[in-house]
Structures are given as C-alpha cells and as structure tokens.
Amino acid sequence: MGRVFFDTRKHVQNLTASYQVLASDSNSVFMLNAAAGLTVTLPAIADAGEGWHCQLIVGTVTTSNAYIVTELVGTDTDKIVSHLVEMADTAGPTNAAHSLITFAGTPAINDRLEIFCDGTKYYAVGLGVADAAQVQS
C-alpha cells in the first residue's frame, strides 16, 4: 500500500488590502499584492495555538507605504521572535521580543517570512534580497 499524504498543498490567499489573519488560516501562503502596502495582523496566540503557521511572500513591489506584519494588539505584546536573513550581507537582525516586522519600502519580489506558533510565541524567519529588507520593532 502506498503512502498517504495530507495537507500537501498550501492554501494561497492573494492579499490586496490589510487582513486580520484567522486561526483557521494555518498552513496558508499569503501573497502580498498591494502597491500601496498593507498590514497583516496575526491571530491571538491563544487562538492560533501550537502548530499554527503561515508564509508571507511579496508578489508586488510596494510603491508607497510598506508591508507590515504585527501581532494582535491588546492580547499579545512582544511575542514575536525572529531572525531575518538578508542576501545583500548574509546576516540580518535577530530579536527575541518584538511586535512588528516591516518589509523594506521597496521589497523585492519573493522576499518572504515564515511564521510558526508554539502556543506561547510566534517564531519568524525572513529572507530578503536587500540590506534591511525587513525591520523589527
């Protein structure tokens, strides 16, 4: 009998406006496609729970504003732990407690973040082409 694989395909969502991510969006790939930028708000960690994850990929270069990823204000504070790799200098910022990740003002197509929740924090790994492709705060 052959192997059976479940959830081998990702659910792709095309974002053209700011979006409040849902716990049910786990395993999604969010394509960031707003030339004027947008904000993606992660679900409360208590709602997301252990094992929740998503990817965010730049599909459209912003011409104004930026792409911003933030935790849910009011329920989570400084719960994002991240390491961001920048292809321009092969190292990027690491931060153990912050609330916001902002893509550079002019990100490259395919700059990305992968976010995983262990039930207590969000862990983000980012890849960007330019120096300071993603900034934490």
Side-chain angles (χ1 to χ4, degrees):
M1 185 158 100
R3 291 183 175 178
V4 177
F5 296 96
F6 296 97
D7 294 325
T8 56
R9 292 180 61 118
K10 302 287 185 191
H11 179 229
V12 178
Q13 296 188 50
N14 182 43
L15 300 184
T16 58
S18 292
Y19 182 66
Q20 167 65 60
V21 181
L22 307 172
S24 60
D25 287 327
S26 184
N27 202 36
S28 290
V29 175
F30 297 102
M31 299 302 300
L32 306 177
N33 284 309
L38 56 80
T39 298
V40 175
T41 304
L42 299 172
I45 289 173
D47 295 336
E50 183 178 323
W52 186 94
H53 66 283
C54 74
Q55 290 183 344
L56 299 105
I57 301 173
V58 173
T60 300
V61 174
T62 53
T63 54
S64 63
N65 302 317
Y67 293 124
I68 299 169
V69 179
T70 184
E71 61 193 13
L72 190 61
V73 176
T75 61
D76 300 321
T77 303
D78 292 337
K79 297 292 185 180
I80 299 174
V81 176
S82 64
H83 180 75
L84 308 174
V85 177
E86 300 162 347
M87 302 301 285
D89 61 10
T90 68
T94 298
N95 194 323
H98 59 99
S99 297
L100 193 73
I101 298 174
T102 303
F103 283 83
T106 309
I109 300 291
N110 202 28
D111 279 3
R112 59 182 56 219
L113 280 175
E114 183 161 358
I115 301 173
F116 173 81
C117 182
D118 71 351
T120 61
K121 293 186 182 297
Y122 281 115
Y123 296 86
V125 176
L127 178 63
V129 173
D131 189 23
Q134 298 147 346
V135 179
Q136 308 149 327
S137 57

